[in-house]
Tab-separated table of all heavy atoms in Angstrom:
chain	number	residue	atom	x	y	z
A	170	LEU	N	14.611	-1.075	8.965
A	170	LEU	CA	13.431	-0.422	9.539
A	170	LEU	C	13.779	0.959	10.097
A	170	LEU	O	13.018	1.910	9.934
A	170	LEU	CB	12.817	-1.287	10.643
A	170	LEU	CG	11.956	-2.444	10.183
A	170	LEU	CD1	11.548	-3.304	11.371
A	170	LEU	CD2	10.735	-1.953	9.440
A	171	GLU	N	14.932	1.069	10.743
A	171	GLU	CA	15.353	2.365	11.277
A	171	GLU	C	15.547	3.384	10.161
A	171	GLU	O	15.154	4.543	10.292
A	171	GLU	CB	16.635	2.212	12.093
A	171	GLU	CG	16.419	1.521	13.424
A	171	GLU	CD	17.716	1.203	14.153
A	171	GLU	OE1	18.812	1.594	13.670
A	171	GLU	OE2	17.637	0.553	15.208
A	172	SER	N	16.139	2.952	9.055
A	172	SER	CA	16.329	3.885	7.936
A	172	SER	C	14.995	4.239	7.284
A	172	SER	O	14.804	5.362	6.818
A	172	SER	CB	17.317	3.339	6.910
A	172	SER	OG	16.837	2.152	6.339
A	173	LEU	N	14.049	3.306	7.274
A	173	LEU	CA	12.708	3.600	6.757
A	173	LEU	C	12.020	4.642	7.638
A	173	LEU	O	11.437	5.599	7.124
A	173	LEU	CB	11.873	2.319	6.677
A	173	LEU	CG	10.442	2.458	6.167
A	173	LEU	CD1	10.422	2.978	4.734
A	173	LEU	CD2	9.717	1.123	6.253
A	174	VAL	N	12.107	4.476	8.951
A	174	VAL	CA	11.518	5.445	9.884
A	174	VAL	C	12.150	6.814	9.684
A	174	VAL	O	11.458	7.840	9.643
A	174	VAL	CB	11.688	4.967	11.345
A	174	VAL	CG1	11.351	6.073	12.332
A	174	VAL	CG2	10.830	3.748	11.605
A	175	GLU	N	13.465	6.842	9.549
A	175	GLU	CA	14.171	8.112	9.342
A	175	GLU	C	13.752	8.771	8.032
A	175	GLU	O	13.531	9.981	7.963
A	175	GLU	CB	15.673	7.878	9.348
A	175	GLU	CG	16.485	9.123	9.137
A	175	GLU	CD	17.963	8.810	9.027
A	175	GLU	OE1	18.432	7.878	9.694
A	175	GLU	OE2	18.643	9.517	8.256
A	176	THR	N	13.625	7.988	6.989
A	176	THR	CA	13.235	8.521	5.684
A	176	THR	C	11.822	9.092	5.719
A	176	THR	O	11.574	10.168	5.181
A	176	THR	CB	13.319	7.424	4.602
A	176	THR	OG1	14.667	6.955	4.528
A	176	THR	CG2	12.894	7.947	3.251
A	177	LEU	N	10.896	8.384	6.347
A	177	LEU	CA	9.509	8.857	6.403
A	177	LEU	C	9.377	10.111	7.257
A	177	LEU	O	8.526	10.952	6.987
A	177	LEU	CB	8.592	7.763	6.931
A	177	LEU	CG	8.411	6.548	6.042
A	177	LEU	CD1	7.586	5.493	6.750
A	177	LEU	CD2	7.794	6.930	4.715
A	178	GLY	N	10.207	10.229	8.263
A	178	GLY	CA	10.167	11.405	9.122
A	178	GLY	C	8.949	11.391	10.029
A	178	GLY	O	8.119	10.482	9.995
A	179	PRO	N	8.817	12.431	10.838
A	179	PRO	CA	7.687	12.494	11.766
A	179	PRO	C	6.404	12.909	11.053
A	179	PRO	O	6.441	13.480	9.967
A	179	PRO	CB	8.119	13.575	12.764
A	179	PRO	CG	9.024	14.460	11.972
A	179	PRO	CD	9.732	13.556	10.992
A	180	VAL	N	5.300	12.611	11.689
A	180	VAL	CA	4.004	13.024	11.162
A	180	VAL	C	3.704	14.401	11.738
A	180	VAL	O	3.402	14.551	12.907
A	180	VAL	CB	2.888	12.040	11.569
A	180	VAL	CG1	1.549	12.510	11.040
A	180	VAL	CG2	3.201	10.653	11.059
A	181	GLU	N	3.860	15.404	10.906
A	181	GLU	CA	3.560	16.767	11.330
A	181	GLU	C	3.115	17.565	10.127
A	181	GLU	O	3.424	17.240	8.985
A	181	GLU	CB	4.767	17.416	11.993
A	181	GLU	CG	5.997	17.448	11.109
A	181	GLU	CD	7.224	17.939	11.847
A	181	GLU	OE1	7.357	17.690	13.048
A	181	GLU	OE2	8.050	18.577	11.183
A	182	HIS	N	2.367	18.598	10.410
A	182	HIS	CA	1.865	19.461	9.347
A	182	HIS	C	2.964	20.435	8.978
A	182	HIS	O	3.478	21.143	9.812
A	182	HIS	CB	0.628	20.224	9.830
A	182	HIS	CG	-0.265	20.660	8.714
A	182	HIS	ND1	0.195	21.191	7.558
A	182	HIS	CD2	-1.609	20.593	8.595
A	182	HIS	CE1	-0.837	21.465	6.777
A	182	HIS	NE2	-1.938	21.102	7.387
Side-chain angles (χ1 to χ4, degrees):
L170 281 173
E171 288 172 5
S172 62
L173 180 62
V174 168
E175 180 185 326
T176 300
L177 293 175
V180 179
E181 57 187 33
H182 204 317

